[in-house]
Amino acid sequence: MTDRYASFVQSGAGRALVKRLGLPDPPRLRRHTPGDPLVPGPVLLGASTGGRLAEPVGKALTAAGVELVDPAAATDATARFAALVYDASGITDSTGLRQLYDFFHPQARALLPSGRVIVLGTPPAECGSPREATAQRALEGLTRSIGKEFGRGVTAQLVYVTRDGDAGTPVSLESTLRFLLSGRSAYVSGQVIRVGAGTAAAPADWDRPLDGQVVLVTGAARGIGAALARVLARDGASVVALDIPAAGDELAAVANEIGGSAVQLDLTAPDAPTRLAEHLASRHGRVDVVVHNAGITRDKTLGRMDADRWDSVIDVNLSSQERINDVLLERGLIPAGGRIVSVSSIAGIAGNRGQTNYATSKAGVIGLVDSLSPVLRERGISLNAVAPGFIETRLTARIPLMIREAGRRMNSMAQGGLPVDVAETIGWLSWPASGAVSGNVVRVCGQSLLGA
């Protein structure tokens, strides 16, 4: 679906009109193209007094080919940076927050379009004192505000690195830094990401971080699922694309395009988990990554909703994930180092009128991540979710015009996201190098004003 307003704004006449009338100004976002450099310019790397992360982060970025600039050497007022990265882990009380101002204030106008801001800290729950926890929690307000202030496609994120994850740094952090700095994260902003001590294995080739991996994608015939299959295959995975028999032709087309395999299966069938497990065991012997993308909507206000609409949405969007996880885990088909990624929604965070069934199911997905990820971590398996906002698909094309326009504009990017934006985020969480990222719910919503 084409966003005609965004296309008009990026024309000469459109830019003049937007500036004159103060209309929403959707920027042209920098998205990933294979072969692109990680960032299109130098990165300014700063650190608070006593910060523990700047050194390993600097080593990881240097190894990735990034040109780093020290703030002490950034004396050229005309210098422009592709990213500002700041280690705030050394801030131990509220007075130390002044160091954030001293770093970001002089550079607020120095970022290139689609620039990146990353702040690194310590999870408040792991801090040594209430004052330190207070200061570290304050970092969320900084990054979310920067994401709304800087404009021009700039994104801002907070990455909490657990102290028990230090032993794995920079390997445990590198995949997250690469994702957040690159064009893969174009529609991800205002997020808080936690990196722990899970298993993280750097790939031989960062352009193909899923080489040798078997990945299952449910709901793969169209929309976000089809984009997922393409991105994961591009990154080197052997993709098992699954969808209902009624979508068989579209599913086969996607599988043939990417050189993957197609499985036609109704996930709500009583024997579906067993049949799926047997297929994966016989064809591949395992599944390294399970992406629960299949989902449906059956919208009605609660007072007008029949029981079938409620039951079908909960069953497809939530219960089927639980059943599949149970069987695959019981049979040992997801090995240590495996990853599970579920698709939630900002409707599961903020709610949505006429979607009580859908919002309930998507909030349940978040509950699944919260409750199951600590259990799976003991088995060396990560579990995360993504929560898309307004994404340009055939489903959102059916939304009435005014509501559709509100969904597009009510975020820091002033535009809807693309299926590839969700796919890239799931791709990052699927990398073996991201094994230390678990228990996260990452919104892909352009920093939506709803559920932010």
Side-chain angles (χ1 to χ4, degrees):
M1 182 172 57
T2 302
D3 184 345
R4 294 179 180 175
Y5 175 80
S7 299
F8 170 70
V9 164
Q10 290 165 3
S11 68
R15 295 216 57 77
L17 188 62
V18 163
K19 186 174 182 179
R20 186 179 307 118
L21 300 180
L23 297 172
D25 186 8
R28 191 183 300 275
L29 303 182
R30 173 172 65 95
R31 290 187 166 91
H32 175 70
T33 300
D36 283 350
L38 187 60
V39 287
V43 171
L44 189 68
L45 175 61
S48 57
T49 303
R52 62 189 169 87
L53 298 169
E55 182 178 353
V57 166
K59 290 180 180 178
L61 294 182
T62 299
V66 173
E67 177 190 350
L68 295 179
V69 178
D70 187 287
T75 56
D76 183 357
T78 65
R80 294 293 177 265
F81 301 104
L84 307 177
V85 179
Y86 190 77
D87 171 16
S89 64
I91 298 177
T92 57
D93 61 36
S94 59
T95 61
L97 295 171
R98 173 57 189 267
Q99 296 176 77
L100 299 168
Y101 173 87
D102 291 340
F103 177 78
F104 286 107
H105 171 69
Q107 309 300 338
R109 302 178 190 277
L111 275 172
L112 295 168
S114 287
R116 303 289 188 253
V117 174
I118 300 175
V119 177
L120 302 141
T122 302
E126 294 189 5
C127 290
S129 70
R131 284 180 178 266
E132 182 182 3
T134 298
Q136 291 296 310
R137 178 58 178 80
L139 302 177
E140 294 190 30
L142 171 83
T143 51
R144 287 182 171 141
S145 296
I146 286 176
K148 293 176 178 178
E149 277 189 11
F150 281 16
R152 300 177 303 125
V154 171
T155 66
Q157 328 288 351
L158 172 59
V159 181
Y160 282 133
V161 183
T162 62
R163 294 187 189 279
D164 61 359
D166 283 358
T169 307
V171 174
S172 60
L173 251 180
E174 187 171 358
S175 73
T176 297
L177 292 170
R178 282 178 174 268
F179 170 70
L180 294 178
L181 288 172
S182 74
R184 298 174 190 263
S185 61
Y187 204 62
V188 177
S189 189
Q191 298 306 287
V192 179
I193 296 163
R194 288 169 172 79
V195 179
T199 303
D205 182 356
W206 279 102
D207 289 330
R208 292 179 61 83
L210 286 169
D211 257 346
Q213 300 287 291
V214 178
V215 180
L216 169 69
V217 178
T218 69
R222 60 180 71 90
I224 291 172
L228 257 170
R230 294 184 183 104
V231 165
L232 297 173
R234 178 204 69 195
D235 285 354
S238 297
V239 177
V240 179
L242 182 150
D243 217 312
I244 57 175
D249 290 344
E250 292 174 289
L251 181 67
V254 171
N256 290 336
E257 176 190 341
I258 64 172
S261 60
V263 176
Q264 297 183 28
L265 185 65
D266 180 354
L267 294 178
T268 64
D271 63 345
T274 299
R275 289 172 58 192
L276 176 59
E278 291 173 350
H279 174 85
L280 292 169
S282 63
R283 295 291 184 90
H284 303 282
R286 70 186 197 285
V287 57
D288 299 295
V289 184
V290 176
V291 182
H292 292 294
N293 169 72
I296 61 172
T297 57
R298 298 290 184 268
D299 297 350
K300 281 284 183 182
T301 55
L302 186 58
R304 296 174 181 239
M305 184 183 298
D306 59 75
D308 286 344
R309 287 176 184 266
W310 179 275
D311 292 341
S312 61
V313 169
I314 298 297
D315 198 21
V316 174
N317 296 3
L318 179 59
S319 300
S320 69
Q321 295 190 22
E322 295 177 308
R323 293 192 296 266
I324 290 169
N325 288 344
D326 287 348
V327 172
L328 296 181
L329 291 167
E330 285 170 4
R331 299 192 178 199
L333 288 172
I334 305 176
R339 283 82 61 211
I340 302 173
V341 187
S342 294
V343 177
S344 180
S345 168
I346 62 168
I349 298 170
N352 208 6
R353 186 182 187 278
Q355 288 194 316
T356 52
N357 50 0
Y358 183 77
T360 300
S361 71
K362 294 303 186 178
V365 169
I366 296 172
L368 177 68
V369 170
D370 290 343
S371 60
L372 188 56
S373 60
V375 177
L376 294 184
R377 189 177 290 117
E378 296 178 2
R379 299 176 59 168
I381 298 170
S382 69
L383 171 60
N384 298 280
V386 298
F390 186 97
I391 304 297
E392 304 280 0
T393 65
R394 288 191 291 186
L395 286 177
T396 53
R398 300 183 192 137
I399 297 173
L401 176 62
M402 295 308 294
I403 298 175
R404 186 166 70 238
E405 281 302 301
R408 282 171 167 160
R409 310 306 162 208
M410 291 180 65
N411 60 73
S412 295
M413 304 298 173
Q415 61 192 283
L418 302 179
V420 72
D421 296 321
V422 182
E424 295 283 16
T425 306
I426 292 173
W428 153 61
L429 294 171
S430 299
W431 298 347
S434 298
V437 181
S438 191
N440 289 267
V441 178
V442 181
R443 285 179 287 118
V444 186
C445 61
Q447 199 176 10
S448 173
L449 303 184
L450 300 174

